[in-house]
Amino acid sequence: MASIPHSPAAFVGASASDLLRSSSNGISGVPLRTLGRGQFGARRSDFAVVAKIRKVKKHEHPWPDNADPNVKGGVLSHLSHFKPLKEKPKPVTLEFERPLLDLEKKIIDVRKMANETGLDFSDQIISLENKYQQALRDLYTHLTPIQRVNIARHPNRPTFLDHVFSITEKFVELHGDRAGYDDPAVVTGIGTVDGRRYMFMGHQKGRNTKENIQRNFGMPTPHGYRKALRMMYYADHHGLPIVTFIDTPGAFADLKSEELGQGEAIAHNLRTMFGLKVPIVSIVIGEGGSGGALAIGCANKLLMLENAVFYVASPEACAAILWKSAKAAPKAAERLKITATELCRLQIADGIIPEPLGGAHADPSWSSKQIKKAINESMDELMKMDTQDLLKHRMLKFRKIGGFQEGLPVDPKKKVNMKKKDEPIKKTPDQNIEDEVKKLMQRRLDAKGPSVTPQLGLAEMIEKLRREVDCEFSEVVKTIGLKDRLVTLREEFSKVNSQDQLVHPALKDKIEKLRDELNQGLSAAPNYERLKHKLDMLKELSKTKSLAEKNNKAAALKQEINKKFTEVTNRSDIKEKFRALKAEIENSGASTVMDLDHGLREKVMKVKRDIESELVDAFKALDLDVEVVKSKAKELSEQETSFSDVKVKIEELNEEIKQGIENVIKSSDLKDKIELLKLEVAKAGKTPGPVSKNRIAALEQQIKQRLAGALDASNLKEKHEQLKAEISKTIESSGGLDGSLNGQYLREDGSTYAEPRVEIGVNSTIA
């Protein structure tokens, strides 16, 4: 303060306003003009003014005294408080990455051993490194949603400023919301990428505990959003494209932020971003939580790093709300559809930026290059649009989210949990159905060979008859009074079926009981005759369809076989063999094969074997069971009767054995044991324990003993031994002929034919 020594004096000509004037115009409230006219008791030379200057600390600039003018980003980059870390961050291993630690430890141990002993372990090291890379590739190509959440929250994941300083040639950070505060959780600034200027803004997390506390763990207050809003207006005024980086768990939700208008600040940003006349690109580099992320994410294009997530509520919060426990976070992460792949499929995100194996923190420089490439490509596309197209493009991007259009087919995956619509079944008069069936059968008889049109008509008629039978059964159930029980059992069965579980024995008993009651009351139903008639028609048509399909397959197979046979016989080398052999036979003068000499006969047999071999290879290419048979037609005809008798006896014995086993299984004690065995196997799963194995083995042994005892009690064993002896005798009498018993198939006309196979026999007589 300035002060003067003076004595009381009379101030002549001084008004009241002059005396009350500010001290900026005088000393101690006295105007200098009055001091000049005042009458002091001392002489003029005694007047003095004394000023005292307060000492303050020298201003500390954010840049060093010897600042490098050639630093990347220019001298202005020294204004940023973001500096490289003095210490390298400690590696952090996520829970699902722990299996990789064993391989890393082995690689380190082998390298240490090689350095200590001087031996060459390069092959072992390369092998271990290949195994590690393969395990890493397998792990990171099959990540679950909750694992991607953990990667997005990784402590060493590159932050907004890490990427910005890596992709820009020059960058200067801009501070403050011009309302009294500068939120460190939101960083804004101007930078250049490949000579093009952009306005950058994004959420900034810390790289260690100290920085996280300073940055508030990347959770902005209203001041941060208002700072971003100020820079948006600045970019819009100067025509700078905007690039935003999203990496926040959400807006800071403390009492002070709510008092300062957190919701209003976010809403203001949302409204403003839809009216900006410059291109906007948003990139999710970590986690994007709720409105805190959306406040700077209303862009023309939303891009996401491969392991980034974007959600309205964190998986832990969602699990606590829906399942009352944060332990259900993996299930919530899967249901929320928060990964980049899912959001691109839902057309919320517009592109995925790849990350290196191990996440962006494994190679931050490579990740930044991919981000730079994505920014350039997106901006090249958006810069071609005029202002109106740009605004419309941004509006339509958000308008189409969650929209649907009636009449379009629904994705089959979405139909799983949709309630089935009960459509009324339209009944067709019985006479009309009979007429249609008769017409269809007549068309099939008139059609020569396999025809596609009758086949289609047959399938449609079968489907129509099935609907009619279902309708008749519904009427029967309703008449008997079992409709409510049937609906309840259907719901229980569908619930068990949807969860891929075995049907409980109690539920099976309910179904069997309902079936017995339905069968008992079926004959008393008013529409029983109609139902029986329609069922008979359905069985007949189904049988006809099955036979038609077999015939069509047989006809197609016959064509393929003829085609292959023609290809083999028309080959030049086969024809040349035939010509040469025919010429030799003609020169020999023999009239029959028996007249040929031994050498020529051997040549004929050799050519025969070669042709058979070629045909076998050709037919095996068609997945046919090829069997080369010898010319023993006479023996086959003589033994046909004996083989047919044996076949009949085998079929009868099989039926008796099958009936005996069914009778034993229907007994209550064995049926219960089989159900218990199924439940034990289902509970044990793929890796049963010792106790489960013992229980399963004991139950299997009991069931086998019960079946063996029941079969021994009957005379089936004796019949089996007798039939076995008879078969051996028949085979011996055939002289070792291949008389394999093949199953028989029914033709449409009622005749039978043997199991389909290809038999090759080449006639040894060459004309």
Side-chain angles (χ1 to χ4, degrees), residues 393-542:
H393 177 273
R394 196 178 308 149
M395 182 268 294
L396 291 177
K397 169 181 167 49
F398 285 87
R399 288 290 292 175
K400 71 180 179 182
I401 294 176
F404 67 95
Q405 184 177 348
E406 292 184 357
L408 295 179
V410 183
D411 187 357
K413 293 182 180 179
K414 295 182 180 179
K415 288 184 178 180
V416 175
N417 297 322
M418 295 175 69
K419 184 178 179 181
K420 293 184 178 179
K421 185 178 180 181
D422 296 330
E423 297 182 357
I425 301 175
K426 297 181 180 179
K427 291 187 63 176
T428 307
D430 297 344
Q431 189 61 38
N432 293 352
I433 293 178
E434 291 183 11
D435 294 341
E436 290 181 12
V437 171
K438 289 179 180 178
K439 288 180 181 178
L440 180 63
M441 298 304 292
Q442 187 63 37
R443 286 172 61 196
R444 287 189 53 78
L445 293 174
D446 295 341
K448 295 181 180 179
S451 177
V452 178
T453 305
Q455 283 291 102
L456 295 176
L458 188 60
E460 292 175 0
M461 180 55 66
I462 290 174
E463 187 63 30
K464 188 174 183 179
L465 269 175
R466 281 177 180 168
R467 290 196 299 267
E468 292 289 333
V469 169
D470 290 341
C471 184
E472 296 293 345
F473 265 115
S474 300
E475 288 187 8
V476 171
V477 171
K478 188 176 180 181
T479 305
I480 299 175
L482 301 176
K483 185 176 180 180
D484 295 337
R485 289 174 57 189
L486 180 62
V487 171
T488 305
L489 282 178
R490 277 179 178 173
E491 291 177 354
E492 292 181 11
F493 185 78
S494 61
K495 184 178 180 182
V496 172
N497 195 26
S498 63
Q499 297 175 356
D500 295 333
Q501 298 178 355
L502 287 176
V503 180
H504 197 273
L507 182 58
K508 274 193 173 182
D509 292 339
K510 291 181 182 179
I511 295 173
E512 292 292 338
K513 188 176 180 181
L514 182 65
R515 183 184 296 168
D516 294 339
E517 292 182 17
L518 180 60
N519 291 333
Q520 290 175 3
L522 189 61
S523 58
N527 60 333
Y528 174 68
E529 293 299 329
R530 292 200 309 271
L531 175 61
K532 186 179 178 182
H533 182 59
K534 290 178 181 178
L535 277 174
D536 292 339
M537 286 193 295
L538 181 60
K539 288 179 182 178
E540 188 66 27
L541 288 178
S542 300

Side-chain angles (χ1 to χ4, degrees), residues 22 31 78 103 187 205 208 216 288 330 371 385-386 390-391 394 399 445 448 502 560 625 656 664 673 723:
S22 172
H78 290 295
L103 285 172
V187 175
K205 287 184 177 179
N208 50 41
N216 198 25
I371 292 175
M385 301 183 185
D386 57 20
L390 201 64
L391 294 173
R394 196 178 308 149
R399 288 290 292 175
L445 293 174
K448 295 181 180 179
L502 287 176
E560 289 289 333
D625 183 16
E656 290 184 21
V664 174
K673 287 180 181 179
L723 184 61

Side-chain angles (χ1 to χ4, degrees), residues 92 94 96 145-159 205-207 212 217 247-250 285-289 307-311 313-318 326 329-330 333 336 338 355 359-361:
V92 177
L94 300 176
F96 67 90
I146 194 64
Q147 289 173 347
R148 293 192 187 276
V149 172
N150 293 330
I151 295 173
R153 295 172 177 171
H154 198 285
N156 297 338
R157 193 169 178 86
T159 63
K205 287 184 177 179
R207 297 168 292 180
N212 268 322
F217 295 87
D247 186 15
T248 179
I285 59 174
E287 56 178 335
N307 295 316
V309 290
F310 198 52
Y311 48 73
S314 66
E316 293 81 6
C318 179
L336 284 170
I338 58 179
E355 293 186 27
H361 53 279

